[in-house]
Amino acid sequence: MPASPSASRAMILALAACLASGHAGAQVRIGLSAPLTGPDAVFGQGLRLGAEQAVADLNRAGGVNGQRLVLVVADDAGDGKQGLAVAQRFATERVGLVVGPFHAGVAGLALPAYADAGIVAILPGSGFPGLTAKGLWNVFRTVPNDGEQAAAAAAYLVRRHSGQRIGLVHDKSPFGRGLAEEVARLLKAQGQSEVAFETLPRGERDAGALVARLKRARVEAVYFGGLGAEAALLLRGLREAGLNVPLVGSDGLADPAFPQAAGPAAEGTVMTLSPEPRKLPDPKGPRPPRTPEADAVAARAYAAVEVLRQGVEGARTAEARAVAAYLRQGGTVRTLLGEVAFDGKGDLRADPRRPAFGLQVWRRTPDGRIDYAGNDADAP
């Protein structure tokens, strides 16, 4: 019978003392907790590609403090219990520095266990605000806080749909729910409350009942917190019900499958989006095949390894608490994403020269496709 989350955490605590020395011979071990199987395996494989290439590139450049970097890969399958099992494995194997987890739900369960075991975690995928709001000493991330994404969406809704009847929908995930709740809070602060707050769970195949409720609420614009598949389902349902209302969504819609699934209804959809993801440097040797989903996250994992490497270098030790203390000093770290710095919670410091999120709109191209590249939602 699998151990409960509380039992798993207790086991990790028992192993925490083993990490105190923070070293393992002439190498620095970095763990990767990623969904290598399951519905989001395409993202997990991208994280693995990015982390593996970073380790290889940095070792060719001399490693860190005279030691080689070694990547220890573990599959959390996007599942919280497996994420805790990965944390237990890393504690047992004295892996004090980790890239991941990717999912907010997995991270929410695993991060306190990592903190108890003396392990630093760099999140390469989840911007869920609650993960850094808890004040854990060991958490950093190479993605912007989703609070900034919600703020960009709310500001757009106020600019373009002030005084209109706005409906909010989310996919019940920590990511989607957090965005919708923050948008609701920000709209209320501007004197504009939503007329509907609904859910469309991830994996749902029928949006009919939801669309009927939105129609009864006489919505004039809809915000959706979630991913492309459910956004496409929602859009098709709205159009079939005769509701030609605009949809504003998150960066979860930046998926090549979204316009294919939504069809003509995708045109005009607005989404918050961070600048185009940086591409990995050309590898030394054959270039492994990559999907758009892998490319979207690979550079974040590459940068996370760079952050850990420079944290070890700056702290002059791989001991996790010393690495975390060094990174929290606020100095800049050079990464594939550019120079980054962290605030006291482990979030990326805002850079007014590079807004964390802009707004892009899906539009039909001359060759008949529907794409968002280069389409500023605020452009005339």
Side-chain angles (χ1 to χ4, degrees):
M1 181 175 180
S4 68
S6 58
S8 295
R9 187 171 172 184
M11 293 173 70
I12 293 168
L13 273 168
L15 293 161
C18 295
L19 289 166
S21 62
H23 62 81
Q27 59 182 222
V28 174
R29 293 158 65 81
I30 294 177
L32 173 68
S33 175
L36 302 178
T37 58
D40 290 318
V42 287
F43 295 106
Q45 295 300 334
L47 296 172
R48 182 172 189 166
L49 283 170
E52 285 180 340
Q53 186 170 334
V55 166
D57 290 348
L58 293 173
N59 280 334
R60 273 191 293 271
V64 55
N65 295 343
Q67 297 177 303
R68 288 183 58 79
L69 299 171
V70 175
L71 187 68
V72 182
V73 178
D75 177 18
D76 61 38
D79 176 79
K81 289 184 178 180
Q82 286 192 226
L84 278 171
V86 169
Q88 180 183 335
R89 172 191 166 186
F90 286 157
T92 301
E93 296 181 6
R94 301 189 182 188
V95 178
L97 310 171
V98 170
V99 175
F102 178 68
H103 289 95
V106 179
L109 287 172
L111 289 177
Y114 282 131
D116 291 340
I119 297 173
V120 168
I122 311 288
L123 306 180
S126 178
F128 181 57
L131 298 177
T132 50
K134 294 178 181 179
L136 294 173
W137 65 270
N138 63 322
V139 183
F140 302 85
R141 51 180 154 210
T142 55
V143 290
N145 189 306
D146 280 338
E148 297 178 70
Q149 183 168 193
Y156 177 84
L157 288 167
V158 169
R159 283 197 307 275
R160 292 297 184 94
H161 302 288
S162 179
Q164 294 184 357
R165 300 175 66 83
I166 298 174
L168 305 180
V169 183
H170 66 80
D171 66 357
K172 298 185 77 171
S173 70
F175 166 69
R177 183 183 69 248
L179 284 171
E181 289 176 347
E182 182 65 4
V183 168
R185 186 187 72 81
L186 293 169
L187 288 177
K188 187 175 182 180
Q190 294 292 320
Q192 183 158 343
S193 297
E194 73 276 5
V195 297
F197 193 94
E198 300 284 352
T199 63
L200 182 62
R202 193 172 179 189
E204 184 61 70
R205 296 182 180 276
D206 184 2
L210 164 63
V211 169
R213 294 193 296 272
L214 294 174
K215 191 170 186 177
R216 286 196 297 272
R218 295 181 289 115
V219 297
E220 297 172 277
V222 175
Y223 174 80
F224 179 69
L227 303 182
E230 288 70 38
L233 179 67
L234 175 58
L235 270 171
R236 293 198 310 270
L238 289 170
R239 300 300 179 260
E240 289 168 3
L243 289 174
N244 192 30
V245 298
L247 181 76
V248 179
S250 69
D251 58 0
L253 277 62
D255 180 346
F258 166 66
Q260 299 170 13
E267 191 169 5
T269 298
V270 172
M271 62 183 177
T272 47
L273 192 67
S274 56
E276 283 294 305
R278 300 287 182 94
K279 303 299 183 185
L280 293 180
D282 289 333
K284 304 295 183 183
R287 183 184 188 276
R290 296 202 296 263
T291 64
E293 293 86 354
D295 275 334
V297 299
R300 300 285 183 185
Y302 190 106
V305 174
E306 292 180 302
V307 167
L308 289 171
R309 183 257 182 193
Q310 289 178 65
V312 171
E313 185 177 60
R316 298 184 180 278
T317 176
E319 196 279 318
R321 285 190 178 272
V323 171
Y326 176 82
L327 294 175
R328 285 195 193 277
Q329 292 175 3
T332 58
V333 178
R334 297 180 303 279
T335 75
L336 179 63
L337 306 175
E339 289 191 343
V340 302
F342 302 97
D343 64 17
K345 296 186 298 182
D347 283 320
L348 292 171
R349 285 194 181 277
D351 184 345
R353 300 167 301 175
R354 297 183 298 170
F357 290 94
L359 291 118
Q360 300 286 299
V361 58
W362 290 87
R363 292 192 177 122
R364 193 168 296 279
T365 62
D367 62 3
R369 296 178 299 108
I370 300 177
D371 200 355
Y372 65 84
N375 297 330
D376 185 345
D378 283 319

